[in-house]
Structure formats: structure tokens, C-alpha cells
Amino acid sequence: MEAIEQAVAERGGKTMRFPVTLNMWELKRWIRSEKPGLVFNLVESLDRSDRLQTVVPLLLEDWRVPFTGSGSLGMLLSNNKLASKERLAESGLPVPDGFWADRRGTIHRVPENGDGDVLGDWIVKTLESHASAHMNDDSVVRNATAAELAGRIADLSDRHGEPFFAEQFIDGREFNLSLLENDSGGVSVLPEAEIRFDNLPAGKPAIVGYQAKWVEDSPEYAGTTRSFDFPPSDDTLRKNLKKTAIRCWRVIGLRGYARVDFRVDRLGKIAILEANANPCLSPDAGFAAAAERGGLSYGDMVERIALAALRR
């Protein structure tokens, strides 16, 4: 918030903060009283639930208030990882196999391709929480069967009080592509970043788990680094990643700014891990780093995001 406020102030704008709770009447009264020209939406959860973040853009749309970032539909689709993967798969875009079990023990696959024993490596994730919540070394399940995955999913769902699912674990390279709406209403892809796992301790799975993202004194944090430098041999791969990211933006209905995360296996096959409708905008986060690499200062990035919302 402070970084965005500073960027707005440097451009002659005025800001005020409003902390959103489940009391939506307070939000409506504030909107009616202050009549903001633009809401910079930084709501990532309500009442400790990432699922409820869609409430704010839905209400702002209903009240005809301009706001930054994706609308309620794009936010809703991207927030539910299985729903977004179904939509992407239906559009012919590459996603890992998904796997979940309902409370009756019925096994489901996304895309649907049978429910027999599943051999191979899988990773268990939360369905609607983000920021790598509850993701650690134990999230990767090697040579799992369908019954083992169903049991692990049910156990984690009960333990944490929220739904989990599993998807095929692609033991390869990971890429983050940040996207920014441009002046014509289209989308520009900022320089692609690769998450490097070269410095992880031996035996640790190559994942960006909770420790790697948030615990600065952990070996996972030190062992995962961001790189924008690529050899010429990656040129075709980078072009394909950009094309796929733009298609993902359109299929999910993203706008303003977003990030698409990919895995690439050892044969160069691309798979979309996630379409993130509200990636972190902290000055030290990946989106700002990609913007800087693309020649945009932090203030320029904030201005582009704000102007995109005002044009709509």
C-alpha cells in the first residue's frame, strides 16, 4: 500500500485507505461518502478466506466504481484452480492432469480421462488458497496410486478445513510470465522469468512452496532464485510461453494485470500451473521485477494499472 500510495502521490494524485471486512455496508457507505475516482483493489482475502476475495470486485462492478485488476468473473475462475484448468483444457491449452476425490470417495480427473490407478508423481495443493499455502516437501507424492492420492487429499482437506486437490507433478523448469494491459486494451507480456532450483539442498523437491516464498532464512528461500537471462536455445520456448500466456489471459477473462505460471518438462512440453489474477505488487516481488526488466519503473507500472482501469 505504501509503495502504491507513493507512486500515486508522485504523479499528483491523492489516496485514502479503506480496510475491507465482511461488513459490506461499511464499504458501500464509504464509497457513497468519498466517491473515489478509482479503487486500487488490493484485497486478497476476507475473513482469512481467499475464496471470498471475489466479493469485492463483484460489488464494485454492481456499484459502477472503477477498480484495478481483473473483474469478478476472471477473479472467480482464476481463484478456483480446478475450474480454471477445466476452462483452459476445454480451450485446447495445456494443463497438468488434475485429480480430486469428493466426500463419498468418488475419484474425478481433470481433464476427464478415466479413474483407474494413477502411477507417477503428483503434487497436492489447496483448491482456492494461494501464496503456496500449506505447500511443503510432503506435498509431492511419488509413484502414487489413485487410492493414496484420495486419502492424502481427504486428510489435508479435513486437517485444514478447506478443499485440496492433486495434479501431475512436472519435474522440470518453472516460469512466471507477468502480463500488463496496454494502452489499446490489449495485453503486453513483460520479460519472462525462470525460477531456478540450482541451489536447493539435495533431496528437496523443486517447488516454490511456502518456505521458498515467505521464510527468508530458510534453505528453500535461498535455494530458489529468479532469472531473466536465457540462452539462444530457449528462444522458441520463450515465444511459445508468451503465446500461451496471452491465450490464457483471454480464456480466463483477465484484465489489468496478471501472472501465468508454467512448468516445462525435460522434453520441452509446456503446462500451465496457474493463472493468477492478482499477483503480489510489492516492490520486491516478481511482477515489479519483470516490469523493471521491461523498462518500467515501479511508478510507471502503477500508473499503467490505474489507467487501464480508468479507461474501462
Side-chain angles (χ1 to χ4, degrees):
M1 287 189 295
E2 291 173 355
I4 291 170
E5 287 170 341
Q6 181 179 343
V8 173
E10 289 171 350
R11 285 154 176 74
K14 296 180 180 180
T15 59
M16 62 188 78
R17 298 183 187 183
F18 186 84
V20 181
T21 69
L22 289 178
N23 188 344
M24 292 300 149
W25 288 112
E26 287 296 325
L27 176 60
K28 190 170 187 177
R29 278 194 286 267
W30 179 78
I31 292 289
R32 286 179 170 177
S33 171
E34 301 297 338
K35 296 180 173 60
L38 173 69
V39 169
F40 209 107
N41 180 27
L42 294 176
V43 175
E44 295 183 353
S45 66
L46 286 174
D47 196 33
R48 300 188 179 187
S49 170
D50 290 0
R51 176 187 302 183
L52 296 179
Q53 65 181 321
T54 307
V55 171
V56 173
L58 183 64
L59 290 174
L60 293 175
E61 286 168 349
D62 190 59
W63 300 335
R64 306 294 192 271
V65 179
F67 63 94
T68 60
S70 287
S72 58
L73 182 57
M75 190 75 74
L76 182 67
L77 273 176
S78 66
N79 198 50
N80 186 303
K81 299 181 183 77
L82 279 179
S84 63
K85 289 177 192 296
E86 284 184 301
R87 176 67 66 92
L88 294 169
E90 289 169 357
S91 300
L93 288 167
V95 298
D97 280 351
F99 179 101
W100 63 285
D102 61 29
R103 293 193 175 276
R104 294 176 297 177
T106 302
I107 295 167
H108 305 267
R109 295 284 295 277
V110 180
E112 288 290 346
N113 57 359
D115 60 359
D117 273 2
V118 183
L119 298 177
D121 298 339
W122 294 72
I123 182 167
V124 183
K125 301 178 176 181
T126 58
L127 183 64
E128 293 176 307
S129 291
H130 295 269
S132 295
H134 311 305
M135 189 184 295
N136 53 40
D137 292 358
D138 292 336
S139 299
V140 178
V141 186
R142 304 284 186 181
N143 294 317
T145 66
E148 288 171 337
L149 279 178
R152 180 72 65 91
I153 291 167
D155 176 64
L156 288 171
S157 299
D158 290 342
R159 189 189 314 169
H160 296 289
E162 59 178 307
F164 279 68
F165 78 107
E167 71 180 14
Q168 182 187 16
F169 178 62
I170 299 169
D171 198 0
R173 302 169 70 181
E174 183 158 332
F175 296 86
N176 303 147
L177 270 72
S178 300
L179 300 103
L180 187 60
E181 192 170 321
N182 56 37
D183 295 343
S184 62
V187 58
S188 300
V189 182
L190 299 174
E192 57 274 22
E194 180 175 6
I195 304 300
R196 305 296 298 269
F197 302 105
D198 302 339
N199 298 318
L200 278 177
K204 282 200 168 289
I207 61 173
V208 185
Y210 186 86
Q211 299 275 334
K213 277 191 176 179
W214 307 112
V215 183
E216 295 185 12
D217 60 352
S218 69
E220 292 89 349
Y221 189 95
T224 52
T225 57
R226 183 186 302 117
S227 174
F228 292 98
D229 299 317
F230 300 94
S233 57
D234 281 336
D235 287 352
T236 299
L237 171 62
R238 293 166 64 192
K239 289 178 183 178
N240 289 337
L241 288 170
K242 289 180 181 179
K243 290 178 183 178
T244 307
I246 291 172
R247 287 186 62 195
C248 185
W249 168 282
R250 292 169 178 162
V251 168
I252 299 296
L254 303 172
R255 66 187 201 192
Y257 65 102
R259 193 189 72 236
V260 182
D261 299 335
F262 294 90
R263 277 274 177 157
V264 178
D265 69 16
R266 302 188 188 284
L267 298 177
K269 184 179 178 181
I270 292 172
I272 301 167
L273 288 185
E274 183 177 352
N276 191 338
N278 60 344
C280 180
L281 294 180
S282 173
D284 61 353
F287 195 94
E292 183 178 12
R293 184 77 173 198
L296 294 173
S297 69
Y298 188 83
D300 293 337
M301 180 195 79
V302 170
E303 183 175 349
R304 284 272 298 270
I305 292 171
L307 290 178
L310 290 172
R311 277 195 301 272
R312 282 192 297 273

